[in-house]
């Protein structure tokens, strides 16, 4: 990505902030104006007030210098306040766009992507950009303007001493160029090391059970420890370079100051310069050194910000489907049809579904039966538009997928996947997730139909029980009932149940399906299972084998009524 393209992409987040940036620019120009009179006051103090013994004038000059310094600080503080307001809004928009992009990216991309790296883009890189903006606008630009103004003052005071000072400019420029390249190279290494560290911490926290089940704690601690020490090395080099950068600049300015002291002192002794001029030159040089210190400290942040900007814009530039608003809204009533659908996850490995034809009428209950690996869950993923068929098509109420806003379809679908999805929070928050504004009465009705009320009765805090990360404080059956209650709450037109006996016993599944068919008579049911006994509560069974619909079977009619009336336990 070119620097110009990166800058255009970055400035797009500041649309509508021209007035604020105009104010910041005005404040940046005003800051050096507040400092320029200080050398003149110092010159008069040493050339006029001190020799004349005018203590009052000397005190007034000192007060004026203090007022000018405070004015400069106040202008800088005001500029920072405005910049923070504008930059924080821009970074917030950038983060919102990243969240929207993550939801818009194809599921296959996220399945293969380095999620730790994406997490770093959304969190670390945007924070670094925030820091960079403030360094650039409130430190670099004002300090550069102040530096130019102070350079003009030095020229007016003594061209000879300024020429002596400029002898030290080439070392400063060469040092900046050399260390700038080093900082950028080390930053790349640091970013890679940090992402590896972040990925490792995600693994430690999310795959702890796997590690302990395999008794691999010792190996995992050693592996993560190696990465931690690598991060220590790369971050240490970054910090050392920043310190070396500042110290080198300080040493050069110190050498320049000593040279000015000697050359200027000799000129004062010879009568070629007044003591006030020399003192004023020293004061101005000290102010310039302070501004150059601000410049040098901001440069590493600016260099790092450019790399972060390119990384964030690369993510935002990833291709994704058309936004939902670009398609028509669908009032889905539960009719679903698959026509000659062929789909797989890897074209090199061949399709999982091979020409599937399947139709569900509104209000019908269909059991999709098949062995493990037959493609049942894959078919559900396609219904939810988690992927696009290689060939063939899906239709909702006779309208092909792609012709309507897929979000409007998903809002009318309740899905209980084989691995129940539960997020950190309370049970009430989990059941209401995706259905904002749900009343307590609606929550309780959904819990009753899912037999979640049995679980709630045994929890000390009931609805307010915290489920922990990924529902770690709940059993598998309780998590499935939470997911089922969440799906029921929105009164869906289509309810997808993926392997309901994975965490619930057969009697409970029969009771749940029976209750739901009574409470939701217009809802279409698609129940995915490898157990034909589960299909007893459905109108018909469809067999999926080797990615094809091969046979249709009627359900067994001798469904035990006791199963329908049972109130299963937890």
């Amino acid at each position: 990505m070119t620097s110009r393209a990166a800058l255009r992409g970055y400035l797009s987040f500041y649309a509508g902030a021209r007035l604020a940036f105009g104010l910041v620019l005005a404040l940046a120009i005003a800051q050096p104006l507040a400092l320029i009179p200080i050398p003149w006051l110092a010159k008069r103090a040493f050339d006029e007030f001190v020799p004349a013994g005018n203590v009052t004038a000397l005190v007034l000059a000192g007060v004026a210098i203090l007022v000018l310094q405070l004015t400069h600080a106040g202008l800088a503080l005001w500029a920072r306040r405005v910049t923070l307001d504008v930059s924080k809004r821009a970074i917030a928009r950038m983060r919102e766009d990243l969240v929207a992009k993550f939801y818009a990216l194809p599921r296959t991309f996220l399945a293969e992507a380095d999620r730790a790296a994406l997490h770093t883009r959304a969190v670390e890189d945007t924070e670094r950009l925030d820091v960079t903006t403030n360094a650039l606008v409130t430190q670099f630009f004002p300090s550069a303007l102040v530096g130019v103004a102070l350079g003009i003052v030095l020229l007016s005071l003594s061209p000879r001493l300024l020429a002596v000072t400029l002898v030290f400019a080439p070392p400063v420029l060469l040092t900046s160029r050399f260390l700038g390249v080093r900082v950028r190279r080390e930053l790349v290494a640091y970013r890679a090391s940090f992402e590896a560290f972040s990925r490792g911490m995600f693994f430690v926290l999310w795959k702890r059970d796997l590690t302990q089940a395999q008794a691999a704690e010792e190996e995992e601690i050693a592996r993560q420890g190696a990465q931690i020490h690598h991060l220590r090395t790369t971050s240490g080099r970054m910090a050392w370079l920043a310190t070396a950068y500042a110290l080198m600049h300080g040493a050069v300015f110190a050498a320049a100051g000593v040279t000015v002291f000697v050359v200027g002192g000799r000129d004062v002794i010879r009568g070629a310069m007044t003591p006030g001029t020399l003192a004023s030159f020293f004061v101005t040089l000290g102010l310039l050194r302070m501004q150059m210190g601000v410049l040098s400290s901001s440069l590493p942040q600016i260099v790092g910000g450019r790399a972060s900007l390119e990384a964030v814009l690369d993510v935002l530039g990833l291709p994704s489907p058309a936004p939902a608003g670009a398609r028509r809204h669908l009032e889905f009533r539960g009719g679903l049809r698959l026509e000659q659908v062929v789909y797989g996850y890897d074209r090199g490995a061949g399709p999982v579904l091979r020409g599937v034809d399947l139709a569900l009428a509104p209000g019908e209950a269909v059991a999709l039966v098949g062995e493990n690996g037959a493609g049942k869950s894959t078919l559900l993923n396609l219904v939810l538009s988690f992927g696009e068929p290689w060939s063939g098509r899906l239709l909702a109420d006779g309208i092909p997928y792609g012709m309507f806003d897929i979000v409007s379809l998903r809002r009318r679908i309740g899905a209980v996947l084989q691995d129940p999805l539960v997020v950190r929070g309370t049970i009430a928050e989990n059941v209401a997730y995706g259905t904002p504004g749900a009343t307590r009465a609606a929550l309780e009705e959904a819990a009753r139909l899912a037999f979640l009320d049995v679980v709630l009765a045994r929890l000390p805090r009931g609805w307010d029980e915290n489920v922990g990360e990924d529902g770690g404080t709940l059993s598998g059956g309780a998590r499935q009932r939470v997911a089922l209650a969440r799906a029921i709450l929105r009164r869906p037109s289509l309810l997808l149940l993926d392997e309901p006996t994975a965490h619930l016993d057969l009697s409970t599944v029969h009771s749940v399906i029976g209750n739901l068919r009574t409470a939701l008579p217009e809802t279409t049911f698609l129940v995915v299972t490898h157990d034909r006994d589960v299909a007893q509560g459905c109108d018909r069974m469809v067999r999926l084998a080797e990615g094809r619909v091969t046979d249709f079977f009627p359900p067994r009619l001798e469904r035990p009524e006791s199963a329908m009336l049972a109130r299963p336990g937890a």
Side-chain angles (χ1 to χ4, degrees):
M1 179 180 293
T2 65
S3 297
R4 182 174 298 180
L7 180 61
R8 280 199 306 268
Y10 185 55
L11 291 179
S12 67
F13 293 100
Y14 289 89
R18 291 184 179 180
L19 289 177
F21 269 120
L23 176 59
V24 171
L25 180 61
L27 292 171
I29 295 173
Q31 289 177 55
L33 296 179
L35 293 177
I36 287 175
I38 292 177
W40 176 77
L41 288 170
K43 184 177 185 302
R44 289 201 63 189
F46 282 97
D47 281 348
E48 299 177 25
F49 307 150
V50 172
N54 192 342
V55 176
T56 301
L58 185 63
V59 171
L60 290 176
V63 171
I65 290 174
L66 178 61
V67 170
L68 289 170
Q69 288 278 20
L70 292 176
T71 301
H72 175 268
L75 292 171
L77 187 61
W78 187 8
R80 182 162 179 77
R81 174 65 180 270
V82 177
T83 304
L84 282 172
D85 182 63
V86 175
S87 66
K88 295 294 183 183
R89 292 177 186 273
I91 296 301
R93 282 194 288 269
M94 182 182 293
R95 286 169 172 164
E96 289 170 349
D97 285 357
L98 282 169
V99 172
K101 172 60 71 172
F102 291 157
Y103 279 115
L105 288 171
R107 196 165 185 260
T108 51
F109 172 85
L110 287 177
E112 299 174 358
D114 184 345
R115 299 193 184 190
L118 294 177
H119 178 271
T120 300
R121 302 291 178 270
V123 179
E124 297 291 333
D125 284 323
T126 56
E127 184 64 22
R128 192 174 291 119
L129 278 173
D130 191 7
V131 172
T132 297
T133 299
N134 283 279
L136 191 64
V137 178
T138 63
Q139 296 179 30
F140 185 85
F141 284 150
S143 295
L145 289 173
V146 172
V148 171
L150 293 175
I152 294 173
V153 172
L154 290 174
L155 178 63
S156 67
L157 288 172
S158 174
R160 170 181 162 81
L161 288 183
L162 178 60
V164 170
T165 305
L166 290 178
V167 170
F168 295 91
V172 173
L173 295 176
L174 289 174
T175 300
S176 299
R177 184 175 182 83
F178 172 73
L179 287 180
V181 173
R182 285 286 307 276
V183 166
R184 186 172 179 83
R185 185 167 61 243
E186 293 298 336
L187 179 63
V188 172
Y190 167 73
R191 285 168 56 85
S193 181
F194 185 88
E195 287 173 6
F197 166 71
S198 178
R199 190 184 309 112
M201 291 303 100
F202 275 120
F203 182 89
V204 168
L205 294 173
W206 291 350
K207 303 297 182 183
R208 180 172 179 267
D209 290 349
L210 171 63
T211 301
Q212 291 185 325
Q214 293 296 113
E217 294 95 334
E218 186 175 338
E219 295 88 340
E220 194 59 46
I221 291 171
R223 186 167 73 94
Q224 299 303 332
Q227 183 53 56
I228 289 170
H229 287 294
H230 186 261
L231 177 60
R232 173 186 59 81
T233 302
T234 55
S235 62
R237 283 200 300 263
M238 282 284 297
W240 182 87
L241 279 174
T243 303
Y245 192 72
L247 289 176
M248 282 180 155
H249 276 207
V252 171
F253 268 97
V258 170
T259 304
V260 167
F261 175 77
V262 172
V263 175
R266 188 181 63 177
D267 286 349
V268 171
I269 292 173
R270 293 178 176 179
M273 179 183 293
T274 66
T277 300
L278 179 60
S280 179
F281 196 95
F282 259 110
V283 170
T284 307
L285 191 63
L287 293 173
L288 180 62
R289 177 179 180 178
M290 181 177 67
Q291 299 304 318
M292 293 302 100
V294 174
L295 277 176
S296 64
S297 65
S298 65
L299 281 176
Q301 297 172 343
I302 294 171
V303 171
R306 178 182 173 181
S308 293
L309 174 61
E310 292 174 354
V312 170
L313 292 178
D314 283 344
V315 174
L316 291 174
L318 291 170
S320 55
R327 302 187 180 123
R328 60 181 284 192
H329 181 82
L330 177 69
E331 292 292 344
F332 183 52
R333 293 181 173 82
L336 186 69
R337 191 161 74 248
L338 286 76
E339 296 179 347
Q340 288 297 301
V341 169
V342 177
Y343 175 74
Y345 299 101
D346 183 354
R347 290 185 181 272
V352 177
L353 303 177
R354 300 176 174 87
V356 169
D357 283 298
L358 178 63
L360 285 76
E364 184 182 22
V366 175
L368 184 63
V369 179
E371 300 299 327
N372 291 332
K376 304 184 300 299
S377 296
T378 300
L379 190 148
L380 288 193
N381 287 337
L382 282 183
V383 171
L384 290 167
S385 194
F386 286 168
E388 295 186 3
W390 295 354
S391 63
R393 62 178 186 166
L394 289 87
L395 302 93
D397 288 344
I399 303 173
Y401 278 38
M403 299 295 292
F404 53 81
D405 171 14
I406 193 62
V407 175
S408 66
L409 172 66
R410 289 175 181 154
R411 287 198 179 108
R412 300 301 307 144
I413 296 178
V416 183
L417 304 180
Q418 187 171 355
D419 184 14
L421 299 178
V422 180
V423 299
R424 174 176 286 278
T426 66
I427 291 181
E429 290 169 341
N430 268 275
V431 174
Y433 185 79
T435 311
T439 65
R440 179 53 64 96
L443 289 173
E444 290 176 350
E445 174 65 9
R448 184 185 66 80
L449 291 173
F451 296 146
L452 177 61
D453 55 348
V454 178
V455 177
L456 292 170
R458 298 180 180 179
L459 297 175
R461 301 179 64 189
W463 284 104
D464 296 325
E465 191 77 22
N466 198 303
V467 302
E469 196 70 42
D470 293 329
T473 65
L474 300 177
S475 67
R479 289 198 302 271
Q480 191 146 22
R481 295 184 197 198
V482 168
L484 183 58
R486 180 196 302 140
I488 296 169
L489 182 63
R490 59 175 54 184
R491 316 294 286 189
S493 297
L494 172 63
L495 184 59
L496 306 176
L497 302 177
D498 189 5
E499 297 290 359
T501 55
H503 299 284
L504 299 176
D505 59 77
L506 185 59
S507 175
T508 300
V509 171
H510 283 319
S511 300
V512 167
I513 293 176
N515 283 358
L516 291 180
R517 295 209 64 192
T518 301
L520 306 173
E522 297 181 357
T523 295
T524 305
F525 287 79
L526 180 57
V527 183
V528 167
T529 181
H530 65 279
D531 187 345
R532 293 187 185 179
D533 289 333
V534 174
Q536 292 184 64
C538 298
D539 299 319
R540 60 189 174 99
M541 287 189 287
V542 176
R543 183 171 182 267
L544 186 65
E546 298 181 355
R548 302 177 189 275
V549 174
T550 58
D551 295 297
F552 294 81
F553 296 92
R556 288 194 334 215
L557 299 179
E558 58 275 15
R559 180 173 52 202
E561 293 299 328
S562 59
M564 291 293 297
L565 301 175
R567 293 289 295 167

